[in-house]
Amino acid sequence: MLTLKQIYNLAIEMGIAADLRGKKSVEKHLKRTKEKYDELSKEEKKDFDEEKLRNPYSDTRILFGDESKKIKRIMAGIDVDAGELMIAKYLSQNSGKEIDLYLSHHPTGKALAALDEVMHLQAEVLANYGVPINIAENLLKIRISEVARGVSPVNHNKATMAAKNLGIALMCVHTPADNLVASYLDKIIKKEKLEFVADLVKLLKKIPEYAAAGKENAGVKIFSGNKENHCGKIALTEITGGTEGNPKIYEKLANAGIGTVVGMHISEEHKKEAEASHINAVIAGHISSDSLGMNLFLDELEKRGIEIIPASGLIRIKRSK
Ligand SMILES: [Fe+2]
């Protein structure tokens, strides 16, 4: 059994360990945030979310609940809304199994309102694949401001208020789980000598979450290129870092020697840009990828004696015995 705070801490710890930028780079980022914080006036510090000093992921927060609360049973889902929380409440009252926490993957509340901040991660990931950091940073800046404007009118506190009204603790774990997907895929892709796009698709289809999604018509798909193409160098640029980056990046990725990108999802505009740059885009699947990341985290919680009840589209597959 863990407390709410311990679960949150474990999410951050695992997210940092799996971060494609590397632990040292994440620590450097935290140090810079602290330096910037120290330079703020007393007035400015009032508006500063101090969690940023130790948690590098703005889209991962405890949204409601007593941090010292012992958690025995979690309802874990991809999204959260009042309906999901009502299911948790209903089960708590009618099955005799009290649900202590709703754990959502996608952010809500203040974690959604700050989704754009986590996107800076992508610049370094792109730089590690050979895109000059100045180009990656500048292209992302444009997209980050678009995302910030996009999330600003959203009624982001609806689910958090529902959780408070129902008395159910609520937490969201977004980028740490996406980092777990990225590092998991990175390891298995590096292990294999993949020559053609078909080999990559075959490898991804072996992952149980993707195999399960395939049966639901939501499996691995090639959105740009075809299975006969050579993979070339494979980049995991579309897995973690909040949401989709700038579509102009494909041309830069091609210049950096990337042949194939693996992503969770891709918009039409990005697909067209990938095609124009002769980059293969293999889309593993959105909810299946989100499930994979959550499962890697949830397995660690189960190992610590916490019961998991899957909800909201989560394809729950256990790896730990
Ligand atoms: Fe997602």
Side-chain angles (χ1 to χ4, degrees), residues 78 105-106 174 178 242 264-265 286-287 290:
I78 301 299
H105 173 57
H106 286 145
H174 190 225
D178 287 348
M264 285 197 190
H265 45 81
H286 183 195
I287 304 308
D290 283 345

